[in-house]
Amino acid sequence: MNTLYQTLKPLSAILFLYYGAAVLFSNAMVAEFEQFGLPNFRKLTGVLELLGAAGLIAGYFIPPLVIAASGGLALLMALGLAVRFRSRSTLPDSLAALAMLLINLFICTYALGLFS
């Protein structure tokens, strides 16, 4: 389990650095947030994704940050899935959010010691 944890933690950080920047700077993401009726939440979402990624990275030096960062990212992805379900997005369109939810839920629960 530790190998999986040590693999998923940097993967999540890298992906959220990418997604957070995309949410903030990509025209496609501007359109997506408008499509979901949430244009006012785009910048907040991008910043939270970048902060979550930074928390996962900082967690190598301050381990409790991993719990807060991964828990926050899991919550963010759960909210993202709720928005996608509300807007009747297809399953393939929702898979990335679902995968990131599950990855960060695992990271959080492992960091809490629930897999010991």
Side-chain angles (χ1 to χ4, degrees):
M1 281 289 186
N2 187 49
T3 303
L4 182 60
Y5 172 74
Q6 295 300 338
T7 302
L8 291 177
K9 196 167 47 163
L11 175 66
S12 180
I14 291 165
L15 290 173
F16 275 107
L17 285 173
Y18 170 78
Y19 286 132
V23 168
L24 290 174
F25 302 111
S26 166
N27 289 333
M29 294 305 282
V30 171
E32 188 170 314
F33 273 76
E34 287 177 1
Q35 173 190 347
F36 292 135
L38 299 169
N40 295 333
F41 289 95
R42 182 182 58 83
K43 290 180 182 176
L44 175 63
T45 301
V47 168
L48 290 174
E49 289 179 351
L50 291 174
L51 286 173
L56 290 174
I57 294 165
Y60 285 102
F61 307 101
I62 307 167
L65 287 178
V66 172
I67 297 165
S70 60
L73 289 170
L75 177 60
L76 192 61
M77 291 299 96
L79 293 170
L81 276 174
V83 167
R84 288 188 170 280
F85 289 140
R86 186 190 78 194
S87 67
R88 303 196 191 287
S89 291
T90 65
L91 181 60
D93 288 340
S94 302
L95 283 179
L98 178 60
M100 295 310 294
L101 165 63
L102 295 174
I103 286 169
N104 281 281
L105 194 56
F106 170 77
I107 293 168
C108 186
T109 55
Y110 189 91
L112 283 167
L114 299 179
F115 282 101
S116 301

